[in-house]
Amino acid sequence: MPKTGTVAILPGDGIGPEVTEQAIRVIEKLNSDYSAGLECKIAPVGGAAYDQHGHPLPPETLEIAKSSDAILLGAVGGPKWESIEREHRPERALLSLRSELKLFSNLRPAILFPELADASTLKPEVVSGLDIMIVRELTGGIYFGQPRGIKTEEDQTRTGFNTMVYNESEIKRIAHSAFKVAQARDKRVCSVDKANVMEVSELWREVVTVVSSEYPDVQLSHMYIDNACMQLVRAPKQFDVIVTTNLFGDILSDAASMLTGSIGMLPSASLDENNKGMYEPVHGSAPDIAGQGIANPLATILSVAMMMRTTFENIDAADRIEKAVQQVLADGLRTSDIAGEGSAPISTSQMGEAICEKL
Ligand code: IPM
Ligand code: MG
């Protein structure tokens, strides 16, 4: 039985509000035509929240996020807030939401829709049929490790430092996450680390290997991060599931996104132990095109599909959304980021409209 519940909608900055508006239309359509039973609660986050309330993650927003069953986030950040003190920057809201809600498992699929094979900068034969899942650890590692800071020595030279740290239980839970994801796919996990240089990676590799014995149906391999970057652009289809640390996953997932032609197409899920999740497009706030009504809302709409499947266990709704996206692309509808030369791009709201019609 699909679950019903509340969704906290945090539009954020830049193109965030434009793309989440289209996602809300999709949710409303699912409610009216398929009785999805979702209640949306909109709350400010990021730079927009800082401007209104003096904090990128106001307590009311955090409360709404905590009490909802799922969160749909647009994007945060922009040049306007780049020079304010670090703890008030929009990105802080994102990091706090991840750690406050214990969203340790970040799933970032990189799927190439056949209709968009030409949109990738890589040769079509290298990327056609691509279907990778990056499982990124999201609440630990160098993003959160202590000690961190910038200190001034007696002679006034300054030293900046961060710490990459993982304990065994953090590694175990993300490894379980990855193996479970792989069981529902092609049953192959590649764990990416830097065990030839760093002790933290040595432990990572050891613990992932131990956990793998509980998943005899899944094949485990290991790769160093530098080689993984090379392999990802050389022969990306060799991968099924990639599991890695917070920092390496951040970098690899941006690289993987370009294999698919447009970062405007990629959804993501950040999950806690009970599959409560925050869903967001992989793209950022794209301040250069914000307010023009030309942003691609498909990554956010596909994030709704991931939300329906994972948090609300509504497979039917998830399938419907993904099918609608495929059909709209097959009809030749494109926002400007994925429109090839010579085809006239449609607007953000026209794309939202087209998806709702297919639904
Ligand atoms: C991402 C982003 C964030 C990250 C930034 C905005 C803090 O790049 O979600 O990949 O580094 O995790
Ligand atoms: Mg990133």
Side-chain angles (χ1 to χ4, degrees), residues 91 94-95 98 108 136 138 143 246 250 253-254 280:
E91 292 75 12
L94 205 55
L95 298 173
R98 290 172 182 171
R108 298 191 163 185
R136 168 188 176 192
L138 202 59
Y143 271 53
N246 206 341
D250 178 46
S253 61
D254 261 36
E280 55 181 311

Side-chain angles (χ1 to χ4, degrees), residues 204-255:
W204 175 279
R205 192 176 277 225
E206 197 187 303
V207 174
V208 171
T209 306
V210 170
V211 172
S212 78
S213 65
E214 294 177 43
Y215 300 86
D217 54 330
V218 179
Q219 188 193 92
L220 171 68
S221 60
H222 302 275
M223 206 179 265
Y224 298 136
I225 177 66
D226 48 351
N227 186 26
C229 289
M230 184 182 81
Q231 296 300 335
L232 199 61
V233 287
R234 190 188 71 87
K237 284 187 272 182
Q238 69 183 284
F239 296 108
D240 177 29
V241 174
I242 292 177
V243 63
T244 191
T245 59
N246 206 341
L247 179 64
F248 296 161
D250 178 46
I251 299 166
L252 276 181
S253 61
D254 261 36

Side-chain angles (χ1 to χ4, degrees), residues 43 79 85 111 132 144 151 177 181 248 273-274 277 340:
E85 60 295 7
I111 294 171
I132 299 177
F144 295 94
K151 66 173 180 201
S177 229
V181 166
F248 296 161
E273 208 76 65
N274 306 309

